[in-house]
Amino acid sequence: MQLFIEYFPLQIFFIINSIAGIYWATGSLIVAAFVQIFYYKIKKEKIPAKQWIIFGLIVVFGGLTIYLQNDAFLKWKVTIINAFFAAALLVSNTFFNKNIIKEFLAESLSLPENIWSRLNLAWALFFLFCSGLNYYIAFNYDLDTWVNFKVFGLTGLMFLFSITSILFLYKYLEVEEEINDTDTINNEKTKEST
């Protein structure tokens, strides 16, 4: 259900764009983003900061797109969101010694500090890549190509990079499990000998 809620505005945007065009799709995107925020409120869940940022950018850039009848603003939104995420990861880690990726995943993963740093950098570079790629496709190809890229291309890249990250981390998770298993066996042997 969470995955559906996460991608709900994007799905609505794609469907309405294919039926009624970019400006109706943009209006639908704004409404869908509002529904997404409202869903969190109904469920009495804390709305993630990321959701507020995306919502704000959708309203501002989507509003400008509709008001000025210029789809360039909507295209810039995707570029800015990805650049913002990259900057947040890099700045928080470099200047505030705060690894955002680690904060999100530390409860479910236990990794060496240097691996957390590499993972944070990898995600920052990925978001920068997506930002640049979106800009290139948005302003060098027709609108339908960009919409398909935004909906399917960026989503596919995100899933592919997530899977690649998990595969990269897998060898470190095995080591961690082996260490925990060895510690458990040693503790049991110690108990038996006493």
Side-chain angles (χ1 to χ4, degrees):
M1 182 66 168
Q2 189 65 32
L3 194 61
F4 173 76
I5 292 301
E6 179 101 13
Y7 288 100
F8 171 70
L10 195 58
Q11 295 165 0
I12 295 298
F13 174 78
F14 178 74
I15 292 167
I16 300 301
N17 181 65
S18 63
I19 297 169
I22 192 69
Y23 300 112
W24 282 98
T26 303
S28 301
L29 179 66
I30 294 169
V31 171
F34 177 77
V35 168
Q36 193 177 41
I37 294 291
F38 191 65
Y39 168 80
Y40 283 106
K41 288 285 191 189
I42 289 174
K43 297 282 284 181
K44 295 186 184 339
E45 293 179 15
K46 183 177 185 248
I47 301 168
K50 174 186 104 169
Q51 239 24 79
W52 281 117
I53 292 164
I54 292 171
F55 176 71
L57 290 171
I58 286 173
V59 170
V60 170
F61 285 93
L64 287 170
T65 297
I66 294 168
Y67 181 72
L68 298 173
Q69 293 292 291
N70 185 345
D71 58 35
F73 292 103
L74 192 61
K75 293 173 180 178
W76 272 106
K77 177 198 68 88
V78 179
T79 300
I80 289 170
I81 285 175
N82 281 293
F84 176 82
F85 287 149
L89 291 172
L90 292 172
V91 168
S92 66
N93 197 41
T94 305
F95 296 108
F96 302 105
N97 203 23
K98 187 176 180 182
N99 188 319
I100 295 174
I101 297 292
K102 181 179 179 182
E103 287 191 13
F104 280 125
L105 300 175
E107 286 185 18
S108 53
L109 293 174
S110 177
L111 299 169
E113 202 58 43
N114 67 324
I115 302 304
W116 282 119
S117 295
R118 287 168 63 183
L119 189 62
N120 192 73
L121 178 62
W123 275 95
L125 292 174
F126 171 73
F127 283 124
L128 275 177
F129 171 75
C130 287
S131 179
L133 187 59
N134 180 74
Y135 177 83
Y136 177 77
I137 291 174
F139 296 103
N140 289 291
Y141 291 90
D142 63 78
L143 184 61
D144 287 337
T145 301
W146 174 74
V147 168
N148 284 325
F149 169 74
K150 175 183 167 22
V151 174
F152 301 110
L154 284 177
T155 304
L157 284 172
M158 180 69 72
F159 282 120
L160 184 63
F161 192 76
S162 298
I163 291 168
T164 303
S165 295
I166 291 167
L167 293 175
F168 168 75
L169 294 176
Y170 187 72
K171 62 183 172 184
Y172 297 102
L173 297 176
E174 287 181 335
V175 169
E176 186 68 30
E177 288 175 9
E178 288 174 12
I179 290 170
N180 289 339
D181 290 346
T182 304
D183 288 344
T184 304
I185 291 169
N186 288 339
N187 287 341
E188 288 175 6
K189 286 181 179 176
T190 306
K191 286 178 186 175
E192 288 174 4
S193 63
T194 55

